[in-house]
Amino acid sequence: MNTFAMKNWEESIVSGTEGAPRVAYAHATFAYSGLIEGESIIDYLLYYTGEGYDGGGTTSPGLERIEGSVDGRKGSFVIKHETGFDAQGITSAFTVVEGSGTGELAGITGTGTTTGVLGEPTMSYTLEYAL
């Protein structure tokens, strides 16, 4: 099973106020297991729709640098997320940033998804890649 867990999450409001439409910045650290073994650092620019709206249909961009291994090949790479979140959970579609692979992951390309339920200790991911 491919999963990851949040190790750290720091968030601050950039514009707007709590309970109203606002933009926030988040910096987080994740630990991966499964096809990807390692840790990552991600930065999100989040949009919250405000009180009375569930967030459905909106997405927020993020860039994540993963360091470790993919299928036993060691190195690092960057993925670009479009993440949506609402009362039911979190979903993301991502693409490996071209040219970002290092070490044995140099030249990696691919796409994937993440899904999870708010408050759960781990989320699942998929990764289809080529080297």
Side-chain angles (χ1 to χ4, degrees):
M1 176 177 240
N2 297 323
T3 62
F4 67 98
M6 183 179 1
K7 294 178 63 178
N8 182 45
W9 182 273
E10 300 169 14
E11 184 175 329
S12 59
I13 294 176
V14 174
S15 175
T17 58
E18 191 72 35
R22 65 193 181 281
V23 174
Y25 164 78
H27 179 79
T29 306
F30 297 143
Y32 280 83
S33 63
L35 179 65
I36 300 171
E37 292 285 339
E39 292 192 354
S40 72
I41 295 175
I42 186 166
D43 290 288
Y44 281 115
L45 187 58
L46 303 170
Y47 171 68
Y48 291 97
T49 55
E51 197 170 313
Y53 298 95
D54 71 359
T58 62
T59 61
S60 297
L63 288 171
E64 180 176 10
R65 182 177 179 272
I66 299 172
E67 188 165 347
S69 65
V70 174
D71 227 3
R73 295 176 179 94
K74 294 181 181 181
S76 67
F77 61 100
V78 175
I79 58 178
K80 181 180 178 185
H81 289 269
E82 283 298 327
T83 302
F85 53 94
D86 59 24
Q88 286 70 47
I90 302 166
T91 60
S92 171
F94 65 81
T95 303
V96 175
V97 175
E98 188 174 341
S100 68
T102 67
E104 295 175 314
L105 298 175
I108 190 170
T109 60
T111 60
T113 62
T114 64
T115 57
V117 176
L118 294 174
E120 291 293 318
T122 61
M123 293 180 53
S124 63
Y125 70 88
T126 65
L127 173 63
E128 296 292 328
Y129 76 97
L131 280 168

